[in-house]
Amino acid sequence: MTLVTAALAAQETAVVPDTIRKWVQLGHLTPAGRRGRANLFRLEDVFAAERATRRTHELRRAES
């Protein structure tokens, strides 16, 4: 299992690292490990969180 930093996870999903941290705060993404103080993530978890948040945003836009 390959783990990536928030910066690399953000790069792979075309968001800023703050977005990755926000997904963690909101419970959309759970770190799979740590390196020092940095959270590490499985890319498949990151992509799943990205899909879930995109669906939520699309639903909210459709309701407006």
Side-chain angles (χ1 to χ4, degrees), residues 3 5-6 15-17 24 29 31-32 35-36 38 41 46-47 49 53 62 64:
L3 300 178
T5 63
V15 298
V16 295
V24 171
L29 180 62
R35 181 184 307 142
F41 305 94
V46 175
F47 292 134
T53 56
S64 300

Side-chain angles (χ1 to χ4, degrees), residues 41-60:
F41 305 94
R42 293 177 350 145
L43 271 180
E44 51 268 29
D45 293 343
V46 175
F47 292 134
E50 190 261 345
R51 284 190 305 273
T53 56
R54 179 178 289 152
R55 251 184 266 118
T56 300
H57 286 271
E58 289 172 355
L59 287 172
R60 285 185 184 154

